[in-house]
Amino acid sequence: LYLETHRGTYTTHGEIKRANRKNELLLREAEVFGVLARWQGADVALETLRPAWETLLLLQFHDILPGSSIGEVYREAAVDHARVEATARAVREVALRALTERAGGSGDLIAFNSLSWPRADVAVAQIPDPDAPVELVQADGRTVPAQVISRRDGQAEILFVPESVPALGYAAFSLRRAGGPVAHSLRIADRCLENRFFRLELADDGSIVRLLDKRCHREVIPPGQPANRLQLFQDGPEQEAAWNVHATFEGREYPWDPGTTMEVMEQGPVRAVVRITRRYRRSRVEQDLILYDRLPRLDFVTRADWAERQVMLKVAFPVEVLSSRATFEIQFGAVERPTHRNTSWDQEKFEVCGHRWADLSEAGYGVSLLNDCKYGHDVHGNVLRLTLLRGPEWPDPDADRGHHEFTYSLLPHMGDWREGETVRRAWELNVPIVCVLANGQKAGLPTARSFLEVEGPAIVQTLKPAEDGDGWILRLYEPHGGRGTVRVRGAHPLRQVVECNHLEEAIRSLAVEGASFTFPIRPFEIKTFRLHLA
């Protein structure tokens, strides 16, 4: 249901929304890896996660998370979020170390995936600073290029894209000196960036004036309509400023200060990075436009020092797509909304909420806009927009003032958002692969393993101990509005599987076939099961 007011709460106090998103997912990972480690016989204490969850849920109170409280609330909430993060990271570290010890001897580096499908995605790892270029070697002998992206205190941060990390599992890699220059598709010249998927051209102000999808030789951006256009709008004065955005905000748009700069920061075998820096009055926005050799996604990693009052920052992506409906992720599903303003109801939807993605698709092709911590969107005609920052002065005169970090990504895809796997790509942006250095101990686990596999139209949201301590809770959902049969296959034999409601109360027992079980799922349905291992 759309509420025709309080649209500003999707964006106000962006730092609290980012902390909420990150901590929800970090607590999820601590639970997932903690359970997987317990299944391998490790002693991982998960009890500390409950009070952390309780604190996080308290901070979702309707005047904290929306950004409509006084300043003191956010100073306290920042301390609470930091404590939640520390707790979740500590549990995850213990769990990953236990799993790494059991996979030790398989390689120098272990990449872990907490999502329920195999991933070919970007990964970052900390290693001792090498004295030469390095590459990673998979168990089958194939090499994966690596790129050093930073160095400090004898350590190096490397970036690589593994071909596959198993679902809810891991893959081991060996490190070695690179054999020589690595062939790749990344090119930067004269404000033109190119990889095997795209060719894009930048204007003087850093916006994208052309984006060619080479996979189908299709222009993604209409002529004369720049994309990744950062827009500054007057945002007020407004009654209940933290809560509300006025429908006439587009009536006044401010220009950026002259002197936008662009600099090539990286051009390696894994990614190319162009840094674009813009200024407005006392504010500075620095953005890394990232193009990958092996990923068909454009990332915009953004850092903002924001000092503006009554100013809204949006980013606009006009796309060469014709559709009367746009799709937005909501909790455990998606909702369609009109792209036109034909009725009074449509006219009120000038700012709408969405979670990790919004999409505009026509028959055979579409474009998704992903994000890692933003919620305010608007789609009008062929323009996808995401609201990045605000500057309301009441009830907190310093709301959103200060440093912000966030990432949004453009994902052109074949077919609609279902065929383009937008849901999975948005999960991957928000839940990175986690890498741990191996300790060199010999162990019995293979070099790559999935502890839990899911076949069919479902995504694992939760794997945790049951609230009453009896068994393990597995929660899945159907993300596409379809239906089908789902098979869950684990690495350990199952003694019993009981379908439950959300309160973990039993509904019925399911037939078990060794380490697997099957069940039907309906559109956008959430399923919860209590697992007992044999």
Side-chain angles (χ1 to χ4, degrees), residues 118-143:
R119 294 173 67 178
D121 193 18
V122 63
V124 175
Q126 297 280 347
I127 66 171
D129 196 349
D131 58 359
V134 295
E135 61 187 10
L136 293 98
V137 185
Q138 300 177 154
D140 59 8
R142 287 181 294 176
T143 60

Side-chain angles (χ1 to χ4, degrees), residues 145-319:
Q147 181 173 327
V148 175
I149 57 175
S150 70
R151 286 184 164 92
R152 184 178 180 182
D153 299 331
Q155 296 290 307
E157 193 172 52
I158 62 169
L159 185 86
F160 64 103
V161 178
E163 292 186 9
S164 180
V165 180
L168 288 159
Y170 68 87
F173 299 86
S174 298
L175 282 163
R176 73 181 184 192
R177 185 189 297 264
V182 178
H184 59 84
S185 63
L186 295 165
R187 304 287 184 271
I188 303 179
D190 298 327
R191 295 185 184 170
C192 176
L193 288 80
E194 188 170 3
N195 65 3
R196 68 186 73 232
F197 308 107
F198 307 117
R199 177 183 174 89
L200 63 96
E201 298 172 10
L202 303 178
D204 292 344
D205 64 356
S207 61
I208 301 172
V209 292
R210 188 191 183 199
L211 178 56
L212 173 68
D213 190 334
K214 295 159 64 175
R215 297 170 295 181
C216 55
H217 201 73
R218 177 175 178 134
E219 297 288 349
V220 181
I221 297 171
Q225 298 184 46
N228 194 40
R229 183 183 170 202
L230 293 175
Q231 299 175 295
L232 297 161
F233 295 111
Q234 179 176 329
D235 185 23
E238 176 64 79
Q239 288 187 334
E240 298 183 322
W243 287 264
N244 292 325
V245 175
H246 199 276
T248 60
F249 71 86
E250 289 183 284
R252 179 173 293 178
E253 182 176 353
Y254 302 122
W256 290 90
D257 293 349
T260 294
T261 63
M262 284 182 280
E263 181 182 3
V264 177
M265 303 300 294
E266 297 178 31
Q267 189 174 0
V270 181
R271 75 179 185 185
V273 180
V274 173
R275 180 164 296 169
I276 304 163
T277 305
R278 302 172 176 88
R279 295 182 183 274
Y280 175 70
R281 295 179 179 173
R282 294 174 296 157
S283 298
R284 179 178 183 270
V285 178
E286 179 184 272
Q287 192 165 72
D288 289 346
L289 192 167
I290 302 177
L291 201 62
Y292 299 97
D293 176 48
R294 298 188 181 186
L295 293 181
R297 187 182 86 197
L298 280 72
D299 286 352
F300 301 86
V301 178
T302 309
R303 296 166 293 277
D305 293 315
W306 188 247
E308 305 314 310
R309 305 292 83 195
Q310 297 185 13
V311 175
M312 177 192 296
L313 176 63
K314 280 179 171 278
V315 63
F317 285 91
V319 294

Side-chain angles (χ1 to χ4, degrees), residues 469-494:
D470 183 19
W472 313 95
I473 295 298
L474 176 68
R475 182 167 293 122
L476 310 94
Y477 73 102
E478 197 289 316
H480 293 145
R483 65 182 70 222
T485 300
V486 179
R487 175 180 290 274
V488 176
R489 182 183 295 107
H492 301 275
L494 294 166

Side-chain angles (χ1 to χ4, degrees), residues 18 69-70 106 118 127 175 179 194 214 244 283 288 327 330 366 404-405 456 477 532:
R18 183 179 191 272
S69 285
I70 60 174
S106 303
I127 66 171
L175 282 163
E194 188 170 3
K214 295 159 64 175
N244 292 325
S283 298
D288 289 346
T327 309
I330 58 174
H404 296 262
E405 295 186 12
Y477 73 102
H532 294 277

Side-chain angles (χ1 to χ4, degrees), residues 366-388:
V367 180
S368 298
L369 183 57
L370 320 178
N371 74 84
D372 75 342
C373 63
K374 299 299 176 183
Y375 297 90
H377 300 74
D378 74 270
V379 181
H380 190 191
N382 70 323
V383 182
L384 284 160
R385 285 201 302 198
L386 183 65
T387 308
L388 304 177

